[in-house]
Amino acid sequence: MKGITIIIPAYNEAESLDKLVDRLDEVTHNISGYMFTYLFINDGSTDNTLELLQEKAENHPRVSYLDLSRNFGKETAMLAGLDYASDEAVIILDADLQHPPEIIEEMIKYWEQGYEDVYAVREKKEDEDGVKNFFSKTYYKFVQKITSEQVYPSAGDFRLLDRKCVMALRELRENERYMKGMYGWIGFHKKEISYKEEPRFAGETKFDFSELFKLAINGITSYSTVPLRMWSYIGFFTSLISFLFLAYEIGKTILFGSNSAGYPTLLAAILFLGGIQLISLGVMGEYLGRVFIETKGRPAYFIREKHIKTKKEVHHE
Ligand code: UDP
Ligand code: MG
């Protein structure tokens, strides 16, 4: 029998866990021929998520968990899940019930047809936040322009991955992670399906504006060196324009003489170039920072405690 691990990163999700496990049970009991494991990754929760997981792992045959030593962020929590999943396929799912487990059956159907990465795309909601939507759309258009890999904008982490994809993702060990880009980068046969996002079951989103901004910058700097190169072009054009302007000024002075000290233009030019230099320094800093973090070669996470069930244990439910 084929095994499927459902990977669930959880950060302060105590309120949703019972309901989530119930829904997963409901769905997976109706899919015969597969052995399901729910692998929770407690990402340094400060509520009683861990206690609940420990209790569930004792009483529920399908529940396994990893307890990370602190909050490492969702991207890293997912990597930990991939590292410890030993089944033929994994499904990554949010703990807050925004990803309806009901479409798992459809995912498996396509997996059996030979697709290695079946990803779920969120259907558009009518009451969606217009501003957020606009920014996210523009952002992905921009990322797509400057990176060579295919980015799938509305596809998130909700997906089924074949063992081959899991092994590939395990090899991408950078610490500043951007999984959305990685799924595209590794390749393999992809299939898109769609789902309706549900409202969060309990608690609040863990991604505020600054978290999203960090992720957005990661998305660009992980996959593209265009922001680094861009400054050579801008520098070249700025110099060219300054040179033409200078030639024009000299010519004008020779022909007609000059009666102004010219300090406003000087000031403008200095400020303009100063600004560009600061921005380009910032861009260098962004990349240098990444190089710095990656050269330390630290492990992506640490595990305090784990309870991973063997296939036998799961089978004996
Ligand atoms: N999450 C995590 N670590 C974090 C932040 C979030 O493991 O540092 C988990 C969270 O518990 C949830 C999933 O990532 O299962 C998605 O988080 P959330 O629902 O807050 O994000 P949103 O749906 O608002 O994008
Ligand atoms: Mg959510």
Side-chain angles (χ1 to χ4, degrees):
M1 205 176 352
K2 286 185 189 170
I4 296 178
T5 305
I6 302 181
I7 295 177
I8 308 149
Y11 176 49
N12 294 343
E13 302 284 4
E15 289 164 275
S16 311
L17 287 187
D18 279 324
K19 181 86 188 350
L20 175 67
V21 171
D22 283 351
R23 279 241 336 249
L24 284 174
D25 282 344
E26 233 171 85
V27 169
T28 54
H29 275 299
N30 290 327
I31 306 175
S32 55
Y34 300 92
M35 223 157 62
F36 290 95
T37 315
Y38 316 151
L39 173 56
F40 287 89
I41 297 95
N42 177 38
D43 186 17
S45 299
T46 50
D47 64 357
N48 60 339
T49 300
L50 178 64
E51 286 73 32
L52 280 175
L53 289 176
Q54 289 168 329
E55 188 194 308
K56 282 201 187 304
E58 286 297 320
N59 305 320
H60 193 300
R62 296 181 171 178
V63 174
S64 294
Y65 70 86
L66 295 170
D67 181 31
L68 302 187
S69 61
R70 66 169 168 86
N71 177 254
F72 282 93
K74 186 188 177 190
E75 308 289 310
T76 303
M78 288 189 289
L79 175 68
L82 294 174
D83 284 342
Y84 282 86
S86 53
D87 282 326
E88 281 85 356
V90 307
I91 291 170
I92 304 177
L93 188 94
D94 278 2
D96 59 2
L97 288 159
Q98 284 192 288
H99 296 160
E102 283 70 26
I103 69 164
I104 286 178
E105 197 167 359
E106 198 186 347
M107 287 178 163
I108 295 174
K109 188 183 90 193
Y110 286 114
W111 177 47
E112 289 295 353
Q113 288 177 12
Y115 292 103
E116 290 143 335
D117 176 359
V118 185
Y119 61 95
V121 170
R122 187 163 53 93
E123 270 170 37
K124 251 186 88 85
K125 284 177 295 188
E126 292 89 49
D127 60 337
E128 200 129 43
D129 182 348
V131 183
K132 201 174 163 188
N133 215 5
F134 170 78
F135 276 118
S136 118
K137 249 204 193 131
T138 323
Y139 171 72
Y140 284 114
K141 251 195 207 144
F142 176 67
V143 170
Q144 188 66 85
K145 271 245 157 62
I146 66 169
T147 59
S148 37
E149 289 96 35
Q150 180 73 27
V151 185
Y152 303 85
S154 34
D157 300 306
F158 187 22
R159 57 180 70 222
L160 181 150
L161 297 165
D162 183 85
R163 179 118 197 105
K164 282 173 241 160
C165 298
V166 175
M167 296 315 276
L169 288 170
R170 277 190 198 174
E171 288 187 37
L172 309 188
R173 309 280 331 165
E174 57 252 55
N175 286 349
E176 298 284 305
R177 302 182 70 78
Y178 184 68
M179 289 287 261
K180 267 190 170 182
M182 293 181 177
Y183 300 127
W185 190 84
I186 58 168
F188 294 102
H189 293 307
K190 296 187 190 304
K191 174 75 191 170
E192 182 173 312
I193 61 176
S194 74
Y195 74 101
K196 275 204 180 63
E197 185 174 72
E198 291 169 34
R200 210 171 209 291
F201 178 68
E204 277 179 2
T205 175
K206 275 90 195 175
F207 289 90
D208 55 12
F209 179 76
S210 80
E211 276 296 313
L212 284 177
F213 191 73
K214 222 169 78 188
L215 204 61
I217 295 284
N218 267 357
I220 294 171
T221 49
S222 309
Y223 293 93
S224 168
T225 46
V226 170
L228 274 178
R229 265 181 288 130
M230 185 172 81
W231 297 103
S232 349
Y233 302 127
I234 293 182
F236 175 76
F237 277 109
T238 323
S239 316
L240 187 73
I241 288 167
S242 322
F243 179 76
L244 292 177
F245 180 66
L246 191 71
Y248 165 77
E249 282 293 324
I250 290 175
K252 205 175 77 174
T253 312
I254 291 175
L255 291 178
F256 310 108
S258 169
N259 52 8
S260 88
Y263 76 91
T265 40
L266 198 65
L267 197 64
I270 289 173
L271 287 179
F272 179 63
L273 275 179
I276 286 190
Q277 279 171 344
L278 283 181
I279 297 171
S280 61
L281 267 181
V283 172
M284 307 278 176
E286 192 65 45
Y287 281 91
L288 193 65
R290 301 177 69 78
V291 172
F292 170 65
I293 288 171
E294 301 302 342
T295 49
K296 285 195 277 192
R298 291 189 175 171
Y301 58 84
F302 286 110
I303 288 176
R304 182 184 296 115
E305 179 198 326
K306 61 175 187 269
H307 188 149
I308 305 283
K309 287 182 184 155
T310 59
K311 271 197 168 166
K312 247 195 198 135
E313 284 175 275
V314 179
H315 206 47
H316 275 253
E317 58 180 281

